C-alpha cells in the first residue's frame, strides 16, 4: 500500500518525536564505531546548545574527562622512547623539589609507572580537588605552582594527599597523581605538556580540532555543557587539566581510537612495537604489582589505559557537564565511542546503556 508524501512526512515526524522522548535525558551526544582502518559510522543527536537550537554534530567540540589520561600515557611512552624519561625511575629525579609520602619512613620510591597505574600512594583530597576548578578560560595556577604548593610548600595539605601505603601496594584512582605524571613529562622535556601532545600526537594524527585550553580550539564549535538539571554551565578550567581537560570532537577522537587499535598490534608509527607493548602491557600480574583494592569492573591497567572485565580496552570519562566512553575489542579490532555534553548520572544511566547497546 502506498502512502502520500504528506502522510509519510507526518509519520517521520512522529517517529522522530518518539525517539526524542526516549533519549531526552541527554542534551546532545555522538556515537562512533571504528575498526583498525577507518571510521565505520558516526551518529549524532540533540543539541550542542539548546537556546540557540544548535545541533550536536561531528564537528562539535567538548571535554572528554578522564579519557584524557590515555593521552598522558601515550605521551609518557613517546618521551621514554626519546630518552627524556624512564617509567621506572624515581620521580624526584625529574623535579626541582622533593615529593615524598609523609606517612612513611625509609625507602619509598614513587615512579611514573606507579602514577600511571594509580598505585603511587597519592590520593585525591576532595576539598583540594574541588578547589582547583574555576569558571575561567584558563587554570588559576600552572602545574608547577599547583604541585609545589600542595606537595612541598604546605606540609599540612601534603599529608592529606597520601595514603599510608607504600608505592605499588594499593590501588587508589587519583586525578592529582595522573596530572603529576604530565607535569613530570613537562619538567623532563622542557616543553609544556599541551605543546608536547600537540606536536607528537594531535598533529601526526590530524586531530585538528583538539586542544587542552579554550584558546586552542574553535569556541564556535564548542558545546555548551549542561548540569544534572539541564542548566547550562559557564566555561570552566582547572589546575590539573591533563587529568580530564582535553577538548575534542567525535571525529578526532575516532582517529585516535583507530591509532590505538593499530598500536595494540604494533602497527602505529607513534611508537615502536616495543613501546606499544609497554603501553598496553597489563601491570597487575603474578610477577608484577599485586596491589590491594583493585576494582572488579576494571581489573587491570597498562600505562593509563584500562582493561575492562569484558576484555575490552580503553577508558571512561566524566566531568562537569561532560561524559565520554572509549573502548575497543582487541579480538575483532573494532571500537566504539560515546560523547555527551552532559555527565552520566543515575537519571540518564539507563538511557546510556540502551544507546550503547543498540548503536
Amino acid at each position: 500500500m502506498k502512502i502520500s508524501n504528506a502522510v509519510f512526512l507526518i509519520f517521520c515526524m512522529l517517529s522522530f518525536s518518539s525517539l526524542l522522548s526516549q533519549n531526552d535525558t541527554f542534551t546532545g551526544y555522538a556515537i562512533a564505531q571504528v575498526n583498525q582502518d577507518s571510521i565505520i559510522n558516526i551518529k549524532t543527536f540533540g543539541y550542542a546548545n539548546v537556546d540557540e537550537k544548535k545541533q550536536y554534530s561531528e564537528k562539535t567540540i567538548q571535554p572528554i574527562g578522564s579519557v584524557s589520561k590515555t593521552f598522558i600515557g601515550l605521551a609518557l611512552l613517546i618521551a621514554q622512547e626519546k630518552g627524556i624519561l624512564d617509567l621506572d625511575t624515581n620521580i624526584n629525579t625529574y623535579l626541582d623539589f622533593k615529593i615524598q609520602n609523609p606517612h612513611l619512613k625509609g625507602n619509598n620510591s614513587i615512579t611514573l609507572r606507579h602514577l600511571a597505574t594509580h598505585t603511587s600512594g597519592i590520593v585525591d583530597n576532595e576539598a583540594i580537588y574541588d578547589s582547583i576548578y574555576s569558571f575561567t578560560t584558563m587554570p588559576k595556577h600552572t602545574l608547577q605552582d599547583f604541585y609545589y604548593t600542595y606537595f612541598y610548600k604546605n606540609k599540612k595539605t601534603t599529608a592529606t594527599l597520601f595514603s599510608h601505603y607504600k608505592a605499588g601496594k594499593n590501588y587508589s584512582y587519583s586525578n592529582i597523581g595522573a596530572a603529576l605524571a604530565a607535569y613530570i613529562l613537562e619538567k623532563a622535556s622542557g616543553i609544556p605538556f599541551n605543546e608536547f601532545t600537540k606536536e607528537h600526537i594531535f598533529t601526526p594524527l590530524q586531530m585538528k580540532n583538539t586542544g587542552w585550553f579554550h584558546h586552542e580550539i574553535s569556541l564556535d564549535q564548542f558545546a555548551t555543557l549542561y548540569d544534572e538539571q539541564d542548566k547550562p554551565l559557564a566555561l570552566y578550567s582547572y589546575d590539573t587539566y591533563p587529568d580530564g581537560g582535553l577538548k575534542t570532537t567525535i571525529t578526532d577522537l575516532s582517529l585516535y581510537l583507530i591509532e590505538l587499535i593499530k598500536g595494540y598490534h604494533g602497527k602505529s608509527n607513534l611508537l615502536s612495537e616495543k613501546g606499544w607493548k609497554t603501553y598496553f602491557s597489563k601491570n597487575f600480574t603474578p610477577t608484577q604489582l599485586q596491589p590491594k583494592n583493585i576494582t572488579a569492573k576494571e581489573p587491570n591497567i597498562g600505562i593509563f589505559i584500562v582493561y575492562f572485565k569484558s576484555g575490552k580496552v580503553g577508558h571512561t570519562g566524566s566531568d562537569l557537564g561532560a561524559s565520554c566512553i572509549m573502548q575497543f575489542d582487541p579480538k575483532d579490532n573494532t571500537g566504539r565511542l560515546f560523547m555527551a555534553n552532559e555527565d552520566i548520572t543515575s537519571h540518564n544511566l539507563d538511557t546510556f546503556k540502551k544507546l550503547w547497546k543498540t548503536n
Side-chain angles (χ1 to χ4, degrees):
M1 179 176 117
K2 295 182 179 181
I3 57 175
S4 68
N5 289 336
V7 172
F8 179 75
L9 180 60
I10 292 172
F11 173 79
C12 289
M13 291 175 65
L14 288 173
S15 297
F16 179 78
S17 297
S18 175
L19 181 61
L20 182 63
S21 65
Q22 291 172 4
N23 298 326
D24 63 3
T25 49
F26 283 106
T27 306
Y29 71 82
I31 293 180
Q33 293 179 314
V34 306
N35 57 29
Q36 73 272 28
D37 299 314
S38 62
I39 299 172
I40 299 172
N41 63 62
I42 293 177
K43 298 178 182 178
T44 61
F45 179 85
Y47 294 105
N49 185 292
V50 174
D51 290 340
E52 298 176 4
K53 303 299 180 186
K54 187 175 182 179
Q55 298 291 318
Y56 196 107
S57 75
E58 297 178 13
K59 297 181 180 180
T60 298
I61 302 172
Q62 69 155 82
I64 57 172
S66 288
V67 175
S68 306
K69 292 180 176 67
T70 66
F71 289 85
I72 302 177
L74 184 53
L76 290 176
L77 264 299
I78 291 172
Q80 179 164 276
E81 293 207 326
K82 292 181 177 296
I84 294 171
L85 49 74
D86 182 85
L87 292 179
D88 299 307
T89 296
N90 190 313
I91 61 173
N92 289 316
T93 302
Y94 308 108
L95 297 170
D96 52 3
F97 55 90
K98 192 174 183 180
I99 290 180
Q100 59 184 0
N101 189 329
H103 304 301
L104 303 175
K105 295 180 180 180
N107 181 45
N108 180 52
S109 178
I110 299 173
T111 68
L112 284 164
R113 189 182 298 275
H114 291 135
L115 294 174
T117 55
H118 302 288
T119 59
S120 67
I122 295 173
V123 297
D124 286 348
N125 177 302
E126 190 172 335
I128 292 175
Y129 193 69
D130 288 347
S131 72
I132 69 176
Y133 281 78
S134 60
F135 286 100
T136 57
T137 57
M138 284 293 289
K140 292 181 295 184
H141 304 100
T142 64
L143 288 172
Q144 180 174 13
D145 288 344
F146 174 82
Y147 285 103
Y148 179 78
T149 298
Y150 288 107
F151 282 87
Y152 185 75
K153 185 177 181 180
N154 193 328
K155 302 300 182 183
K156 290 183 179 180
T157 57
T158 297
T160 69
L161 289 167
F162 280 94
S163 71
H164 287 75
Y165 289 96
K166 290 187 68 173
K169 298 300 183 181
N170 185 69
Y171 179 92
S172 181
Y173 188 90
S174 176
N175 292 292
I176 291 175
L180 175 58
Y183 172 59
I184 290 167
L185 187 156
E186 188 170 286
K187 289 294 293 181
S189 67
I191 303 171
F193 180 72
N194 61 311
E195 294 180 12
F196 188 95
T197 48
K198 180 179 180 179
E199 178 182 352
H200 296 290
I201 303 175
F202 307 155
T203 298
L205 297 185
Q206 297 294 302
M207 298 175 68
K208 299 178 180 179
N209 296 296
T210 299
W212 295 98
F213 302 126
H214 290 100
H215 69 266
E216 296 176 325
I217 59 170
S218 170
L219 286 180
D220 289 339
Q221 297 296 331
F222 192 70
T224 299
L225 307 180
Y226 294 86
D227 66 15
E228 294 181 39
Q229 286 74 45
D230 294 328
K231 294 180 180 179
L233 297 167
L235 296 179
Y236 66 84
S237 300
Y238 46 93
D239 296 347
T240 61
Y241 74 89
D243 69 53
L246 189 63
K247 302 158 184 64
T248 189
T249 67
I250 189 71
T251 303
D252 276 13
L253 197 57
S254 294
L255 297 176
Y256 175 66
L257 182 54
I258 291 169
E259 202 69 17
L260 289 185
I261 298 173
K262 291 180 180 178
Y264 186 86
H265 299 286
K267 297 180 180 179
S268 163
N269 293 328
L270 289 185
L271 289 173
S272 67
E273 187 172 347
K274 180 181 178 181
W276 280 114
K277 185 177 181 180
T278 302
Y279 181 70
F280 283 111
S281 288
K282 296 178 180 178
N283 282 280
F284 305 151
T285 67
T287 57
Q288 299 288 337
L289 293 170
Q290 281 294 302
K292 299 178 181 179
N293 201 34
I294 298 298
T295 57
K297 292 183 179 179
E298 299 176 3
N300 223 312
I301 187 170
I303 303 300
F304 284 122
I305 190 81
V306 173
Y307 282 83
F308 299 94
K309 186 178 180 180
S310 63
K312 293 182 173 63
V313 186
H315 216 290
T316 61
S318 66
D319 212 333
L320 299 176
S323 55
C324 181
I325 311 293
M326 180 184 75
Q327 290 184 351
F328 73 89
D329 189 334
K331 294 181 180 179
D332 63 12
N333 297 328
T334 62
R336 287 195 296 169
L337 291 163
F338 173 87
M339 292 169 58
N341 56 342
E342 187 175 338
D343 197 3
I344 297 176
T345 60
S346 57
H347 83 280
N348 59 24
L349 180 59
D350 287 342
T351 299
F352 163 73
K353 289 179 178 178
K354 292 176 183 177
L355 292 171
W356 189 250
K357 185 177 180 179
T358 58
N359 287 275

